[in-house]
Amino acid sequence: ILSGDAKAILSSCIPRSSVDAVYINFPPPPLGNSWKLIDKSLISDVNTSLKVDGCITILTDDGQYCQSIVSDLESVGLESCHSPLPYLLNDFPHYGSSWFDELWKQRGRKD
């Protein structure tokens, strides 16, 4: 387990082309023009750490942040591999669940 800034860890602790998959679950969306957790620089560092057939999975429930992330992915030469536009999945098989996800479903919510 590594704790700290993801960019620093990726550049100093993770060898190039050594990671099968990276999962980023519900990063906080930026407020206005504030700092973004996921930006072109981080995506580039993640891409460098991935093996040739590696995959980045990013989950967010913020539509504008989603579009910003997709734009950053494309600028680094990556594309959405799981979902076509509008990059929306209501069911992600074999991904797992959370207490909040189950609560959402119990209340009859789908989106």
Side-chain angles (χ1 to χ4, degrees), residues 27-34 36 38-39 43 58-73 85-88:
L31 300 172
N33 291 328
S34 69
K36 295 190 318 183
I38 302 175
D39 60 13
I43 291 171
I58 304 169
L59 301 178
T60 181
D61 55 3
D62 186 289
Q64 287 183 319
Y65 197 24
C66 176
Q67 290 304 318
S68 172
I69 293 168
V70 168
S71 176
D72 289 343
L73 286 167
L85 283 171
Y87 306 103
L88 174 66

Side-chain angles (χ1 to χ4, degrees), residues 10-102:
L10 285 168
S11 63
S12 64
C13 300
I14 308 297
R16 294 168 80 75
S17 303
S18 65
V19 176
D20 290 312
V22 172
Y23 299 91
I24 304 173
N25 295 315
F26 299 97
L31 300 172
N33 291 328
S34 69
W35 169 87
K36 295 190 318 183
L37 174 66
I38 302 175
D39 60 13
K40 292 176 190 177
S41 178
L42 178 68
I43 291 171
S44 180
D45 289 345
V46 168
N47 190 35
T48 299
S49 72
L50 287 172
K51 292 179 180 177
V52 172
D53 292 328
C55 184
I56 303 171
T57 300
I58 304 169
L59 301 178
T60 181
D61 55 3
D62 186 289
Q64 287 183 319
Y65 197 24
C66 176
Q67 290 304 318
S68 172
I69 293 168
V70 168
S71 176
D72 289 343
L73 286 167
E74 290 171 347
S75 74
V76 175
L78 299 173
E79 59 185 54
S80 174
C81 59
H82 291 295
S83 179
L85 283 171
Y87 306 103
L88 174 66
L89 292 174
N90 289 325
D91 184 29
F92 199 51
H94 312 294
Y95 189 75
S97 185
S98 70
W99 182 85
F100 293 105
D101 185 44
E102 293 304 317

